[in-house]
């Protein structure tokens, strides 16, 4: 693939090495963040995500190969993608993860490479990830209590996740975040305990709204705990909260006075930050999604396997993103969900 480097006016966080113009949509938004789901299988069975027996996981040959992912990274970096996140499924189950991270880090234009993981296998792999050049890890952890961990994930393993978290904090990986799906009458009493983790650690604890994407509806929306309520509870229970800066998706960001880390609230369902979205999602089976709630998918995998040229692939990304709805409500209102579970999309 021939890459002709040309300087373009960057949007914030966009690489100045884009060989082609950035990916944009009809509302003038530009996309510089690619989330790649590496697999669908997971070693947990979180109640709000999947049934105990799992879902109809696709066979390995339906998932993108290492080479196909390399190609996507290279081509999208040419169009201004500067941040990549590997997710899943359980991305740590993929043997090529260190190579993928290294490849992404060495791709011209890519400035940061992140991982989203349930943390079960993290403790043993942290060194490999560090050596590969990983810049950030988001660890999904909904409770600090072993008995509740078993209820929500249907597995044991809180100690393993906490060990992974500790090693991640001790590593040179600079951005460490904990993603907590906050749920009524399940973990809404743990906000202060989670916030306390930010006292001595420069990490961000993010409370995220439950989303109704699980087609099996194992855990119905009765557990929904809205972002505004989370913020109120935090303010009531943690007295010395001060406003702080955060990433685009972080709605309300705080620092407890004197603490090293930050606490944030993400309105994943309320979607009042939707309009600022800068993400492109690639499912494990190689479909481009222009929104987490999108009902339409673009089959990149088959196009690549049928010999699509770089130009054609570039066009597929551009056309898909151009059609993005103004917000996730518009996308959701288009019809029936294509996906059974977040494990296929990567969150
Ligand atoms: N298995 C990895 C993990 O747990 O981090 C990566 C994939 S998982 C699908 C990504 C994120 O999606 C996790 O933080 C998980 O809690 C979140 N998630 C899954 N289903 C969700 C739902 N219905 N509502 C809100 N978050 C959800």
């Amino acid at each position: 693939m021939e890459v002709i480097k040309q300087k373009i006016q960057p949007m914030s966080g966009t690489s100045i090495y884009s060989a082609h113009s950035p990916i944009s949509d009809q509302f003038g938004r530009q996309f510089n963040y690619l989330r790649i789901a590496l697999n669908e299988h997971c070693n947990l069975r979180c109640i709000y995500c999947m049934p105990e027996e799992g879902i109809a996981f696709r066979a390995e040959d339906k998932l993108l190969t290492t080479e196909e992912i390399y190609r996507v990274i290279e081509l999208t970096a040419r169009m201004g993608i500067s941040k990549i996140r590997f997710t899943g499924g359980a991305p740590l189950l993929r043997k090529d993860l260190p190579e993928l991270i290294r490849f992404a880090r060495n791709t011209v234009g890519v400035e940061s490479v992140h991982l989203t993981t349930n943390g079960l296998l993290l403790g043993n792999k942290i060194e490999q990830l560090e050596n590969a050049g990983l810049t950030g890890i988001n660890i999904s952890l909904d409770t600090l209590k072993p008995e509740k961990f078993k209820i929500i994930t249907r597995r044991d393993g809180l100690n393993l996740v906490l060990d992974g978290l500790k090693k991640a904090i001790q590593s040179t990986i600079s951005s460490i975040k904990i993603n907590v799906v906050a749920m009524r009458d399940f973990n809404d009493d743990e906000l202060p305990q989670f916030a306390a983790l930010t006292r001595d650690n420069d990490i961000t604890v993010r409370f995220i709204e439950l989303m109704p994407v699980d087609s099996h509806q194992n855990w119905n929306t009765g557990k929904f705990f809205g972002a505004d309520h989370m913020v109120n509870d935090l303010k009531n229970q943690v007295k010395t909260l001060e406003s702080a800066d955060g990433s685009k998706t972080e709605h309300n960001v705080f620092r407890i006075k004197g603490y090293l880390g930050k606490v944030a609230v993400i309105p994943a369902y309320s979607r009042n930050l939707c309009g600022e979205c800068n993400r492109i999602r690639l499912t494990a089976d190689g479909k481009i999604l222009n929104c987490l709630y999108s009902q339409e998918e673009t089959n990149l995998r088959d196009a690549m396997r049928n010999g699509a040229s770089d130009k054609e692939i570039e066009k597929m990304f551009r056309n898909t993103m151009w059609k993005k709805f103004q917000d996730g409500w518009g996308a959701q209102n288009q019809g029936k969900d294509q996906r059974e579970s977040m494990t296929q999309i990567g969150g």
Side-chain angles (χ1 to χ4, degrees):
M1 269 179 292
E2 195 197 355
V3 179
I4 307 154
K5 284 185 206 150
Q6 163 197 327
K7 279 201 175 185
I8 57 159
Q9 251 336 82
M11 58 178 175
S12 142
T14 302
S15 158
I16 57 166
Y17 296 109
S18 307
H20 305 247
S21 58
I23 303 170
S24 57
D25 72 2
Q26 55 190 312
F27 301 105
R29 291 174 293 203
Q30 294 184 354
F31 303 95
N32 65 344
Y33 175 12
L34 176 65
R35 299 173 62 100
I36 305 176
L38 293 181
N39 52 14
E40 297 183 344
H41 275 284
C42 189
N43 36 13
L44 295 181
R45 286 287 180 276
C46 296
I47 283 182
Y48 51 74
C49 189
M50 277 196 259
E52 167 79 67
E53 66 277 12
I55 55 163
F57 296 114
R58 285 171 180 78
E60 190 114 340
D61 66 338
K62 302 282 185 244
L63 307 185
L64 293 186
T65 63
T66 315
E67 293 300 324
E68 286 166 341
I69 296 170
Y70 285 170
R71 188 173 181 204
V72 169
I73 292 172
E74 227 162 20
L75 290 177
T76 55
R78 281 161 46 166
M79 295 185 279
I81 291 295
S82 58
K83 174 175 177 179
I84 289 184
R85 176 174 303 280
F86 293 116
T87 173
L92 288 170
L93 289 174
R94 238 183 108 138
K95 301 224 164 23
D96 56 359
L97 181 63
E99 286 72 49
L100 288 167
I101 294 169
R102 192 166 287 112
F103 184 90
R105 279 289 278 165
N106 289 332
T107 300
V108 173
V110 175
E111 288 160 10
S112 65
V113 180
H114 302 251
L115 176 72
T116 295
T117 169
N118 59 35
L120 269 188
L121 302 172
L122 193 57
N124 288 335
K125 306 225 169 174
I126 202 81
E127 230 178 288
Q128 273 182 45
L129 302 176
E130 208 174 6
N131 292 339
L134 191 68
T135 39
I137 308 183
N138 287 7
I139 300 174
S140 308
L141 177 62
D142 299 333
T143 178
L144 296 168
K145 300 181 179 162
E147 68 283 7
K148 277 198 193 173
F149 185 89
K150 200 165 178 174
I151 294 173
I152 196 78
T153 67
R154 301 197 186 92
R155 300 283 187 273
D156 281 317
L158 177 61
N159 283 341
L160 286 175
V161 180
L162 292 177
D163 176 60
L165 171 64
K166 189 170 146 204
K167 291 192 172 130
I169 290 171
Q170 289 165 346
S171 75
T172 55
I173 298 168
S174 56
S175 165
I176 307 295
K177 299 187 180 187
I178 304 179
N179 285 347
V180 185
V181 178
M183 290 161 276
R184 278 251 175 259
D185 303 325
F186 178 72
N187 58 2
D188 53 354
D189 57 338
E190 290 190 64
L191 270 50
Q193 283 84 352
F194 272 109
L197 296 175
T198 66
R199 192 182 73 178
D200 302 323
N201 302 306
D202 183 10
I203 61 174
T204 303
V205 171
R206 308 178 337 150
F207 299 107
I208 301 175
E209 283 178 347
L210 182 65
M211 290 175 268
V213 279
D214 159 34
S215 68
H216 301 269
Q217 289 292 291
N218 291 300
W219 198 322
N220 239 309
T221 42
K223 292 275 182 255
F224 182 74
F225 183 22
D228 291 346
H229 287 113
M230 292 182 212
V231 171
N232 275 344
D233 279 13
L234 268 172
K235 285 183 174 162
N236 288 333
Q237 293 170 31
V238 185
K239 293 293 174 203
T240 50
L241 283 184
E242 295 170 343
S243 288
D245 291 332
S247 77
K248 263 177 184 283
T249 44
E250 292 162 2
H251 172 54
N252 270 289
V253 189
F254 306 102
R255 191 185 294 278
I256 301 173
K257 203 167 179 214
Y259 283 26
L260 290 181
K262 291 188 278 191
V263 176
V265 170
I266 312 226
Y269 181 69
S270 311
R271 280 168 263 183
N272 42 351
L273 291 180
C274 245
E276 294 170 38
C277 182
N278 62 345
R279 300 162 174 209
I280 303 174
R281 289 181 163 83
L282 193 57
T283 63
D285 59 330
K287 312 284 169 61
I288 310 169
L289 283 183
N290 62 18
C291 172
L292 179 58
Y293 291 92
S294 177
Q295 312 295 316
E296 251 187 58
E297 306 184 341
T298 303
N299 192 338
L300 184 70
R301 180 199 65 203
D302 286 357
M304 286 198 287
R305 291 182 186 178
N306 290 328
S309 67
D310 292 353
K311 238 192 169 124
E312 284 164 338
I313 289 173
E314 185 173 313
K315 216 165 153 190
M316 287 177 90
F317 273 100
R318 290 188 189 285
N319 287 347
T320 306
M321 297 315 293
W322 184 259
K323 290 187 287 185
K324 183 177 167 69
F325 280 88
Q326 189 152 21
D327 59 33
W329 297 105
Q332 190 181 354
N333 290 340
Q334 290 311 294
K336 203 182 159 326
D337 272 341
Q338 299 277 334
R339 296 280 165 179
E340 266 187 280
S341 160
M342 197 79 94
T343 199
Q344 302 165 317
I345 307 173

